[in-house]
Amino acid sequence: MNQLVTVAEMTLRELLRRRGVLLLLLLMPLTFYLIRRDGYLGQSVRSLLLGVGWAVSTAALFATTAARELEPRLRLAGYRPHHLYLGRMLGLWTVGLVVSVPFFLLPLSDGADLRYGGLAAAMLCSVGVAAPFGMLIGTLLPRELEGTLLLLTVVTVQMLIDPAGSGAKLTPFWSSREIATWAVDHTDEGYLTRGVLHGFVVTALLVLGVATVASVRLRRRRHLRHLPVG
Amino acid sequence: MNDDWLRTFAAELHHRRVAADAARHVVAEAATHLRDSGGDPWAVFGPPQQYAGAIVESIGTAPGPRPGPVRLHARGITKRYGRQTVLRDATLTVRAGQIAAVVGANGCGKSTFLRICAGLISPDAGEVTVSGRLGYCPQAGGTADFLLADEHFVLVGAGQGVARGPARRAGRAAARQLGWEAGGNVQARHLSGGTRQKLNLTMSTLSEPDVLLLDEPYQGFDQGTYVNFWDQLSRLRDAGTAIVVVTHLLNQLDRVDTVLDLTPAQPAGWTAGGRP
């Protein structure tokens, strides 16, 4: 448990010191929201959620890539793979939640007629999915540029795809969009249920994906036999 | 000129197995004498080898190392990248209280061999047996840009269940052995290359490993730190650590117990093996 908390804490410390990057990342949800603010509020809130997802997954990608060289030696220092990826994920989820607060308050300050419980749930889904999503890309693609381009592609697809089409459900942030529709357009409960279910399933699958890749990458190699000190 | 003489003298004392603390004391005394008198060391003390001999007769030597149990045994290590074979049948045995040097030309697989020993990559053939805890210091990287040195110590310490305070203190003490005061409020990315390597090296010794694998860890070290580095290796060896150090600086080979030369003997079909 101590290992998990220490990795989470160090992830937090590292991210909070990347102030320039964080500020630039936060600009995206903000501009997404502001650019449609005078038009259609629903679109504005959905863009905001997508922006939060983008910001957190990019932070996760950077954190994962930066830790690539460090993790093998931490493994040798006594950490198990799950300490490393779960600790990092915990740190990223915490950052994501902190970052979400002002964006949750933004529509509130505008006096928008929303179901704010729904907005909170959509934010949670967005952050919940984004951290393991960014980490998975970071573990699969060793360089930040490739990872960032892939993230950009996913976010663009997410933005342009028809949300009612069956293909939309394969995109990672569909859940927050669905819940946002419930929150903004006051649609029936089905949107909320589908969204929450999608959020849980996608988050679980992504965490499983990160766990699998990290466990393979940081596995004990078969050629190495450890004996106790005799 | 004094520096060259003193360096040779210090190396000679080490070579003759004068205890590290005593040798440091003697060298410091000689340096003070030379500074105060302004004399030529060759005229004042004579050749460094001869003076070291006189010192050994006077103060004696540290007890010779008793060969400890085998801590690392790498056997028949072969590694290919595509069609290129970078390691073929490399074998190395290191006992507790020994330093082994892995040498060879650029690209001959020194770092690959060490990474295989650390279990970071798999070989195509061969196996490695390690007794006890492993420590590994990479050639570069291996630190977190946005963390302080103390935070690195806490992070590494937590892996062994060491509390923050003791981890911090242990890290600072180990850094001090390399002539570095590590307690500052400086992120790793702002450290100079040499200081960053000191952090790297300190992290690898922090968990008190039984087998310490060092991949040219002295990149960017100044002369003083380089001497401190070899002194620290001697101390660790005397404490029973088995050390493998990748190096291309052959002038330090008199300070090691075993050398594994990975330079291909022939353009094709060569075999690497340890020599005592």
Side-chain angles (χ1 to χ4, degrees), chain A residues 133-201:
Chain A
F133 182 55
M135 283 180 69
L136 185 62
I137 291 178
T139 46
L140 292 173
L141 297 176
R143 278 176 284 272
E144 283 175 357
L145 180 60
E146 283 93 328
T148 311
L149 289 174
L150 182 58
L151 270 180
L152 197 61
T153 308
V154 171
V155 170
T156 311
V157 168
Q158 183 88 57
M159 199 180 287
L160 299 178
I161 200 167
D162 174 15
S166 56
K169 289 177 186 165
L170 297 175
T171 53
F173 297 108
W174 184 77
S175 56
S176 55
R177 186 186 176 103
E178 200 72 352
I179 300 171
T181 302
W182 179 77
V184 174
D185 299 334
H186 299 270
T187 51
D188 65 83
E189 301 286 321
Y191 280 82
L192 177 66
T193 313
R194 279 195 301 275
V196 169
L197 186 66
H198 187 272
F200 270 117
V201 170

Side-chain angles (χ1 to χ4, degrees), chain B residues 1-2 4-6 8 34 39-50:
Chain B
M1 181 173 163
N2 282 5
D4 287 343
W5 189 93
L6 287 167
T8 313
L34 290 172
D40 175 1
W42 290 84
V44 177
F45 298 118
Q49 294 81 0
Q50 188 182 323

